[in-house]
């Protein structure tokens, strides 16, 4: 063998174990089977591209005045780079080139056919980005005397894929079911009543402000054309001063009086308003003491939580801890005399996507998950408004499994794996949730966990898991 250009050197096998590489099929035939390409490998390391192959010419027939030239090349739609050629020459042509030493191009490697069975082809070229998806091809020419080309053809060797292997997720979103939109507005009013009386004096102390709180809550729903009040509940509470029987009378009577007041303002059907009462708000007292700095806080809490009768319990606190009781009576007991109210209402359904998009920005509380999903289908997947829609959905419905699953998908699309993990913790155990956890594991490069989760999801009917498993298998190679 004569090497015309010393720059072409054999690359040691250890160098070919580079960061990125592809290998060709084993035993690729050329020239109708007379030549076989074996051990084909193309790899990249930093700024260099290595090309290696064994060209088996043991079955190649070359007459004395003929020569066969193999010219590998890298080609893409916009670029072509010819690589050093290999010439297998018959006896006369071999000695002709040996005497004249005028091979073109000068990098051509010359071999005498009778002296070679396998050409170990090795070359290195500067790496350029376009080579990542280039094609490795070879031009095979048969030439005669005077370098006349008698026959020639291009044959493909390998399609390069030198980009780093990365996991490409395929997200599965769930469309929520369309359901009636029943919402509730709640509040507490602290109505002042004369001692031991149940009638309301509208202008007594802070009653104008407290009564207006109730009316404002009702009006917020009643004046909205998109909503319909379906129920109004009022529950009255009294503070624990004994006797219990009197507190029961007051709580019940004052709640009824408040109902009648509201009824006079709106003339609601009788069936809409319901009432309840709690003679003594021991639960409220417990919360207040728990958050206090009372000297005997723990002992008083123990009494509150005991099974003693209410009057005996209250008397025991008053008798045993008079200073603390006096403080509670002045600072806590007034707040235990309150009326809790709730307005239950239904919001109409929305089908116009433009209207839903407007509400997403202005009044998302009016929308159902299904309506938000409907709007998202009209947005470009992965766009800012698309991702924001699912973020709004999970803010409005923080404990809904579907809202959390869809929000996890958008978070993973943005590669915000921390938020995605938080959403997935509340996404339930549906096949889609298992599949999403597989994507999270894969993006976290925990391919073992990803493979297990995708296998489980596939077994539960998620068809797309099959493609994800193929990707994981490639990444684990």
């Amino acid at each position: 063998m004569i090497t015309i250009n010393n720059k072409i050197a054999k690359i040691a096998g250890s160098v070919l174990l580079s960061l990125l590489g592809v290998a060709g099929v084993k035993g690729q035939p050329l020239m109708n089977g007379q030549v076989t390409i074996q051990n084909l490998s193309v790899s990249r390391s930093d700024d260099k591209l290595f090309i290696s192959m064994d060209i088996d010419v043991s079955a190649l027939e070359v007459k004395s005045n003929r020569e066969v030239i193999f010219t590998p090349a890298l080609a893409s739609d916009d670029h072509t780079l010819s690589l050093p050629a290999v010439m297998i020459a018959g006896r006369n042509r071999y000695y002709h080139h040996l005497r004249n030493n005028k091979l073109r191009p000068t990098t051509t490697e010359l071999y005498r056919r009778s002296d070679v069975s396998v050409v170990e082809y090795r070359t290195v070229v500067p790496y350029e980005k376009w080579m990542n998806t280039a094609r490795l091809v070879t031009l095979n020419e048969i030439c005669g005397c005077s370098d006349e080309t008698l026959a020639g053809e291009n044959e493909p060797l390998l399609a390069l894929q030198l980009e780093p292997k990365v996991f490409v997720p395929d997200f599965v979103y769930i469309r929520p079911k369309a359901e009636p939109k029943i919402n509730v507005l709640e509040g507490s009013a602290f109505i002042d009543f004369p001692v031991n009386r149940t009638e309301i004096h509208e202008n007594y102390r802070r009653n104008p402000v407290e009564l207006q709180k109730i009316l404002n809550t009702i009006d917020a729903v009643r004046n909205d054309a998109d909503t319909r009040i379906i129920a109004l509940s009022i529950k009255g509470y009294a503070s624990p001063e004994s006797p219990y029987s009197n507190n029961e009378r007051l709580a019940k009577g004052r709640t009824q009086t408040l109902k009648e007041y509201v009824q006079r303002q709106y003339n609601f059907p009788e069936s809409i308003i319901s009432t309840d009462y709690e003679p003594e708000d021991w639960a409220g007292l417990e919360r207040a003491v728990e958050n206090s700095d009372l000297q005997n806080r723990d002992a008083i809490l123990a009494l509150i939580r005991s099974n003693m009768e209410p009057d005996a319990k209250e008397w025991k606190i008053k008798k045993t801890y008079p200073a603390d009781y006096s403080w509670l009576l002045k600072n806590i007991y007034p707040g235990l005399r309150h009326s809790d109210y709730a307005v239950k209402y239904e919001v109409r359904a929305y089908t116009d996507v433009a209207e839903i998009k407007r509400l997403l920005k202005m009044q998302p509380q009016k929308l159902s998950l299904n309506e938000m999903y409907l709007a998202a289908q009209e947005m470009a997947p992965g766009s800012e408004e698309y991702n924001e829609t699912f973020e709004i959905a999970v803010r409005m419905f923080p404990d809904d499994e579907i809202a959390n699953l869809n929000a996890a998908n958008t978070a993973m699309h943005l590669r915000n794996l921390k938020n995605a993990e938080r959403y997935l913790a509340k996404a339930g155990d549906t096949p889609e949730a298992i599949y999403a956890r597989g994507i999270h594991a894969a993006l976290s490069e925990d391919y073992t966990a990803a493979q297990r989760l995708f296998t489980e999801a596939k077994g539960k009917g998620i068809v797309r898991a099959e493609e994800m498993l193929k990707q994981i298998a490639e990444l684990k190679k």
Side-chain angles (χ1 to χ4, degrees), residues 121-142:
Y121 185 90
R122 310 286 187 270
T123 191
V124 58
V125 296
Y127 163 78
E128 295 181 28
K129 190 174 182 180
W130 66 267
M131 297 175 182
N132 284 338
T133 56
R135 302 176 301 279
L136 179 62
V137 299
T138 179
L139 171 62
N140 308 324
E141 299 174 282
I142 300 176

Side-chain angles (χ1 to χ4, degrees), residues 403-421:
N404 278 279
L405 172 61
N406 290 340
N409 284 333
T410 59
M412 289 189 289
H413 174 79
L414 297 171
R415 297 305 188 265
N416 190 335
L417 300 185
K418 185 176 181 180
N419 276 357
E421 184 176 15

Side-chain angles (χ1 to χ4, degrees), residues 7-11 16 49-53 83-84 121-125:
K7 290 183 180 180
I8 299 176
K10 293 182 179 181
I11 310 299
L16 287 171
L49 192 73
F50 302 92
I51 298 143
S52 169
M53 69 182 102
L83 303 173
Y121 185 90
R122 310 286 187 270
T123 191
V124 58
V125 296

Side-chain angles (χ1 to χ4, degrees), residues 320-380:
T320 310
Y321 311 105
D324 288 342
Y325 178 82
S326 179
W327 185 87
L328 291 171
L329 194 65
K330 178 181 178 181
N331 297 285
I332 302 301
Y333 275 37
L336 301 179
R337 306 169 197 135
H338 58 98
S339 297
D340 292 351
Y341 55 90
V343 182
K344 191 175 185 180
Y345 63 97
E346 182 176 16
V347 183
R348 74 171 178 87
Y350 302 98
T351 57
D352 181 76
V353 172
E355 185 177 22
I356 295 173
K357 287 183 177 182
R358 178 181 61 80
L359 289 169
L360 275 167
K361 295 179 180 180
M362 306 296 293
Q363 294 177 293
Q365 68 273 13
K366 283 189 172 184
L367 298 172
S368 68
L369 283 173
N370 178 268
E371 289 163 340
M372 294 181 192
Y373 186 91
L374 179 67
Q377 301 316 295
E378 300 297 320
M379 303 170 185

Side-chain angles (χ1 to χ4, degrees), residues 174-177 369 399-407 426-427:
I174 296 181
R175 178 170 185 164
K177 293 180 181 179
L369 283 173
D399 297 318
D400 185 271
E401 291 184 354
I402 293 177
N404 278 279
L405 172 61
N406 290 340
K426 300 171 69 175

Side-chain angles (χ1 to χ4, degrees), residues 60 72 155 173 191 194 220 256 287 303 312 347 354 371 379 389 394 402 407 452:
L60 180 63
E155 296 194 58
Y173 288 81
I191 311 298
Q256 181 61 29
R287 288 192 298 272
L303 285 171
V347 183
E371 289 163 340
M379 303 170 185
T389 297
V394 80
I402 293 177
R452 173 179 55 78

